[in-house]
Amino acid sequence: MTRNELLDLYFMDARAKLIDLAAFLDRVDRGTGDADFRLAAFCEAMKELAGDQPTRAKEVLVSLSDPTSDPIEKSPGKGAVGAWPGKAN
């Protein structure tokens, strides 16, 4: 497909998602208390969107993922939180 065909097909959906992200960040900014690691991870992942390579989706996913390969002994919670709280060595 051409770029214009892709824009015709997907632009309005992407526009809506972008506005949703802006609204989410506005709500977080208006919230009280300190944010945890997820906000920092989210903001770092958004930096990947400014790139010009066609691997942005992969880079965003990798930036939010646990880069370690060693299993942990016990899960710290019941479910996934969507971002990795640690730092890779």
Side-chain angles (χ1 to χ4, degrees):
M1 294 180 88
T2 68
R3 285 185 176 171
N4 278 337
E5 289 171 332
L6 291 164
L7 286 165
D8 288 344
L9 204 57
Y10 298 112
F11 181 81
M12 292 304 288
D13 184 49
R15 178 184 182 274
K17 289 175 183 177
L18 188 59
I19 293 167
D20 284 344
L21 289 174
F24 162 70
L25 290 171
D26 287 349
R27 285 190 296 275
V28 170
D29 286 345
R30 288 190 302 266
T32 59
D34 293 330
D36 63 23
F37 66 93
R38 293 173 294 175
L39 181 59
F42 187 88
C43 291
E44 283 299 312
M46 285 196 334
K47 291 178 184 177
E48 299 297 339
L49 299 178
D52 61 356
Q53 297 300 310
T55 57
R56 289 181 209 93
K58 175 188 171 194
E59 298 304 324
V60 167
L61 181 59
V62 167
S63 76
L64 294 168
S65 299
D66 181 346
T68 62
S69 57
D70 295 331
I72 59 174
E73 190 171 313
K74 183 179 177 186
S75 175
K78 284 188 172 189
V81 295
W84 186 59
K87 293 288 181 193
N89 294 332

